[in-house]
Amino acid sequence: MKETKEIRKSTTDPECGFMSRDNKQEMFCYLDHRTTDMKFNIITDAFVTPGNVHDSVPYLSRLDRQIERFGFDVEAVALDSGYLTNPICKGLSDRNIFGVIAHRRYQPTKGLFPKWKFHFDKELDIYICPNGEELSYSTTTREGYREYKSDSKKCANCPLLQECTKSKNTQKVVTRHVWEEHKEKVRLNRLSKSGKMLYKFRKEKVERSFADSKELHGLRYGRLRGLQNASEQVLLTAACQNMKKIATHLAKLA
């Protein structure tokens, strides 16, 4: 039976979306997906979506739009943990862009080993469990995840079974996306010297830009209903911020 997902809809503004995220207030809202440059903190793109659209969904298409429209030669990008997805990591790799994305903390099932306890051997294409046993490749799902399964007979007598799996057939299954290597590359970028420096600048640039929008330009609240009106408010705010930035930099050159 196909599962159905309940989608909350606002009665006053049907075009907005209900945002429900960890450590954030639940609300009906619109989201401003914004890009700024690293040198002058100029807003190069501001795209509005309903609040229930994940940050990662429009990212690559908006990145391509900026490259095509402005002729940008993008060398590197710094993003928060919401963008740490396999498609984005693969997309950055395909575009030869140095990606730095914040670490996302996954909560493993309480009482069970986290995934990082299982070592992946790339040459043999197997996972090694904490007890030294192999998990062999079994199949690939439609979503692009390769499944690695243990030998249930060996697992049945394993002293670490209770910390490994709760499956009734005593078989451990570990999944790995077909683009996982691109995500691992991004993780290494984050830990590099240049990656740490780049991510440090992120909070001084795009986060500052958002803060100025809310505190100095009234973007904390939408003034009008509807996606088009919300987009106009965001774009006008971005234009005002950019004019102030440009004027400030030109004044320094005078």
Side-chain angles (χ1 to χ4, degrees):
M1 184 176 178
K2 192 174 182 180
E3 294 184 5
T4 57
K5 184 178 180 181
E6 180 184 358
I7 299 178
R8 297 188 185 182
K9 198 167 187 178
S10 170
T11 56
T12 56
D13 186 358
E15 291 185 345
C16 72
F18 186 77
M19 184 179 72
S20 178
R21 299 184 183 181
D22 293 338
N23 303 318
K24 288 193 176 182
Q25 180 184 354
E26 293 186 345
M27 68 180 86
F28 285 105
C29 63
Y30 291 98
L31 293 178
D32 173 7
H33 304 272
R34 178 175 300 192
T35 306
T36 65
D37 82 298
M38 183 175 175
K39 189 173 183 180
F40 298 111
N41 206 24
I42 297 295
I43 301 170
T44 56
D45 189 56
F47 182 66
V48 178
T49 66
N52 56 356
V53 175
H54 194 272
D55 295 336
S56 62
V57 173
Y59 179 72
L60 290 175
S61 62
R62 301 308 298 181
L63 175 63
D64 289 338
R65 181 181 182 276
Q66 294 173 75
I67 293 173
E68 294 170 6
R69 184 173 185 180
F70 303 118
F72 288 157
D73 182 14
V74 181
E75 298 178 357
V77 296
L79 308 167
D80 67 26
S81 60
Y83 296 87
L84 188 60
T85 66
N86 290 302
I88 286 183
C89 293
K90 172 70 161 52
L92 294 177
S93 180
D94 290 344
R95 292 163 178 77
N96 197 29
I97 296 174
F98 184 84
V100 177
I101 305 178
H103 175 63
R104 179 186 292 179
R105 296 184 181 276
Y106 294 95
Q107 297 296 330
T109 303
K110 190 174 182 180
L112 297 182
F113 289 127
K115 184 179 177 180
W116 61 267
K117 288 279 189 179
F118 295 80
H119 172 69
F120 180 67
D121 189 316
K122 187 175 181 180
E123 292 185 3
L124 298 178
D125 192 27
I126 59 172
Y127 271 95
I128 307 296
C129 78
N131 198 40
E133 297 293 342
E134 297 181 1
L135 284 79
S136 304
Y137 169 72
S138 175
T139 186
T140 302
T141 67
R142 292 182 179 180
E143 292 75 26
Y145 286 91
R146 294 169 60 86
E147 293 185 347
Y148 295 82
K149 298 182 179 181
S150 65
D151 185 338
S152 58
K153 294 180 180 179
K154 293 181 179 179
C155 292
N157 300 315
C158 178
L160 303 177
L161 178 62
Q162 298 303 317
E163 300 172 79
C164 187
T165 181
K166 293 182 179 179
S167 64
K168 294 181 179 179
N169 63 355
T170 68
Q171 185 177 60
K172 177 67 177 180
V173 179
V174 176
T175 59
R176 178 182 176 85
H177 198 273
V178 293
W179 293 340
E180 187 71 25
E181 62 184 73
H182 299 288
K183 185 182 284 188
E184 292 173 348
K185 180 181 177 182
V186 168
R187 290 195 184 103
L188 292 176
N189 290 347
R190 175 176 57 84
L191 298 174
S192 67
K193 184 177 180 180
S194 55
K196 291 179 180 179
M197 180 190 70
L198 185 64
Y199 195 77
K200 178 184 176 183
F201 279 115
R202 180 191 171 277
K203 64 180 180 181
E204 299 173 7
K205 299 296 181 179
V206 71
E207 294 297 345
R208 173 64 184 273
S209 180
F210 277 124
D212 286 349
S213 294
K214 294 177 181 179
E215 298 299 324
L216 305 178
H217 297 274
L219 198 60
R220 188 176 297 277
Y221 302 102
R223 303 299 173 184
L224 299 171
R225 301 171 187 172
L227 181 61
Q228 181 63 37
N229 289 327
S231 297
E232 289 179 1
Q233 182 181 349
V234 167
L235 291 172
L236 285 171
T237 301
C240 291
Q241 288 182 255
N242 281 348
M243 285 188 281
K244 289 169 66 176
K245 287 287 183 183
I246 293 170
T248 299
H249 289 301
L250 289 178
K252 292 179 180 179
L253 297 175

